Amino acid sequence: MSLLHLAIISPFLLAIFIPILYKLFRNIHTGWFVLPLPILLFSYFLSFISITSTHKTITESVPWIPAIGVDFIAKVDGLGLLFALLITGIGSLVVLYSIYYLSKDKEKLNTFYVYLLLFMGAMLGVVLSDNLIVLYTFWEFTSFSSFLLIGYWYDREKSRYGAQKSMLITVLGGLSMLGGIILLYIMTGTFNISEIIAQAAGITENPLFIPALICILLGAFTKSAQFPFHIWLPDAMEAPTPVSAYLHSATMVKAGIYLVARMTPVFASEGLWVWLIAGFGIATLFWGSFNAVRQTDLKAILAFSTISQLGMIMSLLGLGAAALHFDDVKNSFYGAATLAAVFHLFNHATFKGSLFMVVGIVDHETGTRDIRKLGGLMNFMPITFTLAIIGTFSMAGLPPFNGFLSKEMFFTGMIRVLELDIFNFETWGMLFPVIAWIASVFTFIYSMVLVFKTFTGKYQPEKLEKKPHEAPMGMLISPIVLASLVIIIGFFPNILANSILSPALESILPNNNIDVHISFWHGFKPELFMTIGVIALGILLFLTLPKWKRVYDFFPKKLTLNRLYDNGLELIQRASNKLTKTYMNGSIRTYLVYIFAFFIFILATTIAVKNAFIFDTSNISSIGFYEVLLALAIVIGSISILFVNSRMTAIILLGAVGYTVSLFYVLFRAPDLALTQLVIETISVALFLLCFYHLPKKRNEERNRFKLTNAIISIGVGAIVTVIALSAHSNKVFDSISEYYVENTYTEAAGKNMVNVILVDFRGFDTLFEITVLTIAALGIFAMIKLRMGGKKKNENK
Amino acid sequence: MEIVMAFVIGILFMSATYLMLSKSLLRIIIGTGLLSHGAHLLILTMGGLKRGTVPLLGEEASSYTDPIPQALILTAIVISFGVTAFFLVLAYRAYKELGTDNTERLRGNEGND
């Protein structure tokens, strides 16, 4: 266990103590106990920059399940560190923000911070594990904690709906990813990512390669809310705003991007990888930005905006992967897209994090997030307004903010697709820059809607629940920090270049020679004209928004993906309910029929397949007169039980069969058995008669009618058992171990009755447990006779 | 003799199954009783019948009957008695509480499962 492992699991450890601290210090906001941890972890991870910036990695391993190659390998490389810094850095700011956002008097803070810490630890685990099974475990933990956080206000119907939706979709993808991981293991024989990458060239021809690729991508796409799986993210906005800022914009939804980046060296050789990621990414980019414009809830705008930006990063990663097919100049030429992806990943976390916090402030101070009710808040909340301007302008890609830089680089990456001549990009590659540009126009529009519909325009105090005022300082600190980063990186992007971007790039595209220097001014290149075009058309469309907004009405409301999800879910529930009801009808008889039918089926097939039926008469014992008599007695006795109607007769016949069996034991040289059977049989019959006395009188309609299915099944069972008895006798696969007991009974246990010695000595524990079973049965019987569960009514409900 | 026993066992199992598939709790319990008889005889038959004397060393015989099946059956007899007794009392209580020993009427109520 290294310090690195401790760092990963420290949030889990702290989570254990949160409920106690919450109970002990009710006057102090629980957030203050949480806050030091992410700050500490952030500074700890900062210390790794000096190591990773020289393109070194740190690996620490702790055995977990070595037998199947699963070890908790913690690995810090450029990509992992970038995410670890985001998780802990944004995490610190979010915790600080939440202290002012969530009231300590009204909310159940203990559960909130436990969930949040669970998430933080799980997310660190995802990005710092080199073992895929460990990664998967943490991955599901993030889905799980996200579920709990979305459903934090669980008394709201919408929260529960959103939580379930996100859980179902992300866990579905997670399972598929597990399948992909197992396929990778089958191909390479290892779960360790670094070892899989080392073998990547050898597995591309494997028939499992494409299925593994698709399975892994399904996991990444569902997690990162890519079209058509994006539908869970808008509903996830029911979570408290700090959670939305943290999980559903800055970190968790980027886990899919992380996975794609991490697996790029494995799969990039396949054209399908490039196409699927770039294609779904660009589709998501467009669909997200297009839909964001029509939203009226501020958080819904941000949700669709996040979807769109995730799609943008995804498409860049996909196109950048093509660089692995080239050396030298072209490698750097196409790899620029990957650089843009990594850079924008960071920028998005800063501006989107601050925007979520701004929206949270607006919600907190006015009581609504509906842009139809908001307006003119500029005068009441000047600081929040300034922060919103910085965030949205960066999101829209305006200078001098960091979003402008990554947007330009995004355009660069998209334009370079035009020159890509592999994987059929020469025919369809054209679409990428076109869609990217259109999507950017919509991005510009919704950014403007977000800020101007909220802060400018007409102030409508009658529609607001509270009188708006500026947020408390504590709430503003976090967005101010993020907004300052937006500006600082806008002006000095190269402070990230060699410390964070270049090492992260090295993890995605090994041995690249990409120039990570980011410059503000590129000259009059197509990118600049594209940006100017976006701004010009964006302003035009923003001003004429009410006129063309009816475009959205053309989309039929019945054919949305959400409708598909809702109906599908209902259909599955109804169908499975129906299916279950057809065979689980509550009748014991039916269940016994299944059991016996399966018994016949499985034994008959086994005997048939294995050719197990052997009939050998060479080694059988003689048939005596008395034995035949007894056998006849049993046969007649047991068959007549079936036909007698009187219960008394049935019980007596059962007793007769039992006594005959004990006579058999006498003939078959088993005196102990005979004695026991005699005693037990006597008690059993007495018990039966006792119960019989209490059981109801038989009614006429309950006469035992002959049932054909029952008869067929019974004959089947009888036949199978006969066959087994015959074969078991004729088949001696092993030598008997009885000789051991014959020889050792006296020497080892000083007893002469072998059966007794086996029971109390050699197999003493069996007998002990047998007594235990009897005791349990006795206790049960005693309880059933003595215990009365309250009144009659209660029993009926049981 | 083993072949005769194989058929006896088969018939015991058959009757037991038929009884267990009926509605009356008492018949089901009788069925389990028959089933355990069948199973005991099956174990005994599988070990081979009438080979050597009873497994008592005091007999000082040259060969003994296999003691292991007997030890197994002895345990099984006692356990099956426990199970039968438990079942019987369960049936008795079910009847006392619910007024029937017909399993078709013993279903849990629909809204409660």
Side-chain angles (χ1 to χ4, degrees), chain A residues 210-229:
Chain A
I210 301 285
L213 184 156
I214 291 170
C215 284
I216 297 261
L217 276 188
L218 258 177
F221 284 178
T222 49
K223 196 77 163 179
S224 283
Q226 296 297 294
F227 183 87
F229 305 111

Side-chain angles (χ1 to χ4, degrees), chain A residues 687-744:
Chain A
L687 250 176
F688 265 104
L689 290 175
L690 201 67
C691 278
F692 164 77
Y693 176 75
H694 288 287
L695 281 178
K697 293 276 178 301
K698 215 160 198 176
R699 273 173 241 136
N700 270 344
E701 83 250 35
E702 286 177 17
R703 292 182 83 83
N704 307 308
R705 271 186 237 98
F706 178 75
K707 286 216 181 70
L708 190 67
T709 34
N710 292 6
I712 292 171
I713 289 172
S714 328
I715 291 169
V717 171
I720 280 288
V721 173
T722 308
V723 167
I724 288 174
L726 290 173
S727 326
H729 173 69
S730 314
N731 248 346
K732 286 275 181 273
V733 186
F734 308 104
D735 285 333
S736 171
I737 54 167
S738 315
E739 277 309 302
Y740 172 83
Y741 292 107
V742 176
E743 279 160 23
N744 291 304

Side-chain angles (χ1 to χ4, degrees), chain A residues 346-365:
Chain A
F346 186 90
N347 294 343
H348 178 248
T350 55
F351 67 68
K352 192 54 73 61
S354 74
L355 278 179
F356 262 109
M357 290 174 184
V358 163
V359 166
I361 290 172
V362 170
D363 188 12
H364 205 258
E365 306 305 336

